[in-house]
Amino acid sequence: MDFSPTEEQRIAIDSFRRFLEAEIAPAVAEHGDAFIPKDDMRELLVKLLPFGMGNGLIDQAHGGLGLSPLTVGLLFEELARVSPDLAIVALIQMEAGLLLSAGSESIQADYLAPLLRGERFACIGISEPGAGSNIAEISSRARRDGDGYLITGEKQWISSGHYSDFCICVARDEDGPGDGFGLFIVDREAGYESRNIPKMALNRQSTAQLHFDRAKVPADNLLAPPGEGLRRLMTLLAGSRPLVGLLAVGVARAALDHSIEYAKSRQQHGKVIARHQLVQARIAQMAVQIDAARLMLYRALDLTGRGEHANLESSMAKHFATEAACEVTRHALAIHGGNGVAREFPVEELYRVAPILSVTEGTPEMQQLIIGRSLLGESAF
Ligand SMILES: Cc1cc2nc3c(=O)[nH]c(=O)nc-3n(C[C@H](O)[C@H](O)[C@H](O)COP(=O)(O)OP(=O)(O)OC[C@H]3O[C@@H](n4cnc5c(N)ncnc54)[C@H](O)[C@@H]3O)c2cc1C
């Protein structure tokens, strides 16, 4: 197993890094920690598309760049290091693109193509006020209405929800086959409302609550028929979990970089703190955690790229990486002493970002249950 970047990947990473520092970091900084308005977010997203952020995993036949999961992961980690907020927006666009590329020709023309040009924002509405870890408890309803459906329900914690021009919504047709869960493309114009939810961090982008009241879905907008929806989602989430892990690695790497810089300049007891052994121990622990997380995540992406089943490896890697980011950012705070909790220093924000990443796309407990089920052959959900 060799996950070291190829020459081509190395060149792509280096040029993306330079681009991020020159163009993206200053543009994001202009907004401070305020919400980035939709038009500005679109402009940023369009700039990221040539680097496969938002479109990298979608194959070329469908208008994406068709990069390998590992290449996308390597680039995505760089974006997350500079702006986890933008990384989330790009990730949601990419996940939506993957779902849409399995849709009909009209879905590809009306939704996938504009999404890949950065013209339309998507969101994916799974979670609800009463259904998070157990998506089988989703209560949004899809009622037949002629050829199409009417969707009624509440969605909660929906990334890009406030930006979204359309939502890929999970709802249940009680008269449908199997469990009745389908994937329905609901246009904003068909009548859903969104309310942004302020969080402890990651407020430059949108996490929203969506309200659907008999929102019309024409027959053409049925992305997965009732009974098929959850299976499609599970496949999607297993593939994207390593990317959430790499989001956490990007955050942890930023914390390590700031800590190294700080430790080399801050003087205490007559020398820079980098020369105190216990400070070095923290730096070493941070680096070990980051490296281990990266290797696990790269392995999961590599397996996925080779078409192998990587559910276990993806959950292990996502779980380890997001927990590691919490520990790494805690060490970063400690290394910065009082300055660690000051708003002027970037590590306090990274410390607030890390725990959010543990929750998204499956909490640590859900990852443990997936791992346990895979090893024991028994479900403990
Ligand atoms: C920033 C952010 C972005 C998000 N983006 C999206 C999005 O784009 N689309 C979307 O649909 N959702 C999104 N989510 C929702 C996310 O997937 C859920 O928050 C997550 O799945 C947890 O669900 P919950 O919040 O309802 O917690 P709950 O399911 O209520 O869990 C609460 C606690 O109970 C534990 N728990 C639950 N069941 C068990 C069990 N069987 N055994 C042991 N412990 C258990 C959990 O691990 C957790 O610690 C986002 C969330 C956040 C915070």
Side-chain angles (χ1 to χ4, degrees), residues 92 124-127 131-133 156-159 199 207 356 359-363 365-366 369 381:
I92 297 298
I124 304 177
I126 310 166
S127 308
S133 297
Q156 178 111 326
W157 310 117
I158 307 307
S159 298
K199 307 176 296 295
T207 310
I356 301 180
V359 180
T360 55
E361 302 204 8
T363 63
E365 290 76 17
M366 290 306 106
L369 291 174
F381 283 88

Side-chain angles (χ1 to χ4, degrees), residues 88 92 95 122-135 137-138 155-161 168 170 197 199 201-202 205-208 233 237 355-369 380-381:
I88 290 178
I92 297 298
E95 289 178 354
C123 69
I124 304 177
I126 310 166
S127 308
E128 299 185 350
S133 297
N134 184 8
I135 58 180
E137 284 165 356
I138 285 171
K155 295 290 173 183
Q156 178 111 326
W157 310 117
I158 307 307
S159 298
S160 284
I168 299 175
V170 186
I197 306 170
K199 307 176 296 295
L202 293 172
Q205 51 85 47
S206 158
T207 310
L233 277 179
L237 292 175
I356 301 180
L357 304 176
S358 287
V359 180
T360 55
E361 302 204 8
T363 63
E365 290 76 17
M366 290 306 106
Q367 305 311 326
Q368 286 171 322
L369 291 174
F381 283 88

Side-chain angles (χ1 to χ4, degrees), residues 21-38:
E21 293 304 333
E23 300 259 341
I24 300 296
V28 171
E30 267 175 34
H31 294 274
D33 51 12
F35 180 72
I36 301 179
K38 183 169 176 174

